[in-house]
Amino acid sequence: MRKYMSTGYAWIPDNDNIEKAQLHIYTFDNKDERFEADAALEDYKSKQEYLSNLGYVSDPIPVESIAGATYTHYNMHLAGNFLIIEESVIIDV
């Protein structure tokens, strides 16, 4: 698998500018890589483990608010032969 591109950060509209997102797009070198990514979509734990293996580790979000703190969360989606990794940076207010 190889990285195809990353987008710039974009603020999420209608969210009081407390969250920004960036997409990281990968292409698969073979069908086995795509099947492995597809299998990781089954549940949250396997998805986070797959992302962790790629170097994308979500920050734990504390129960109590810490004003000004930032937290990064990762999610993934498949679109054809592309793996889309969504990076969300949440700013605590």
Side-chain angles (χ1 to χ4, degrees):
M1 180 169 29
R2 59 195 135 155
K3 191 170 196 173
Y4 179 68
M5 70 175 287
S6 289
T7 65
Y9 279 106
W11 291 103
I12 306 297
D14 299 329
N15 208 10
D16 296 329
N17 290 333
I18 61 169
E19 182 178 345
K20 59 184 178 178
Q22 182 178 29
L23 301 178
H24 305 282
I25 303 169
Y26 288 81
T27 60
F28 299 106
D29 291 329
N30 55 56
K31 289 182 181 182
D32 291 338
E33 289 179 346
R34 189 188 187 293
F35 289 137
E36 183 181 340
D38 190 42
L41 294 172
E42 294 298 318
D43 60 44
Y44 180 81
K45 184 178 177 182
S46 62
K47 187 185 297 187
Q48 293 304 310
E49 183 177 319
Y50 185 86
L51 288 168
S52 177
N53 290 337
L54 291 175
Y56 298 100
V57 180
S58 295
D59 295 328
I61 299 176
V63 175
E64 302 230 358
S65 179
I66 303 170
T70 60
Y71 309 99
T72 304
H73 177 74
Y74 297 97
N75 199 358
M76 62 186 255
H77 311 278
L78 287 176
N81 288 324
F82 294 97
L83 172 65
I84 313 295
I85 297 176
E86 177 186 345
E87 176 181 350
S88 299
V89 178
I90 303 157
I91 302 170
D92 207 343
V93 291

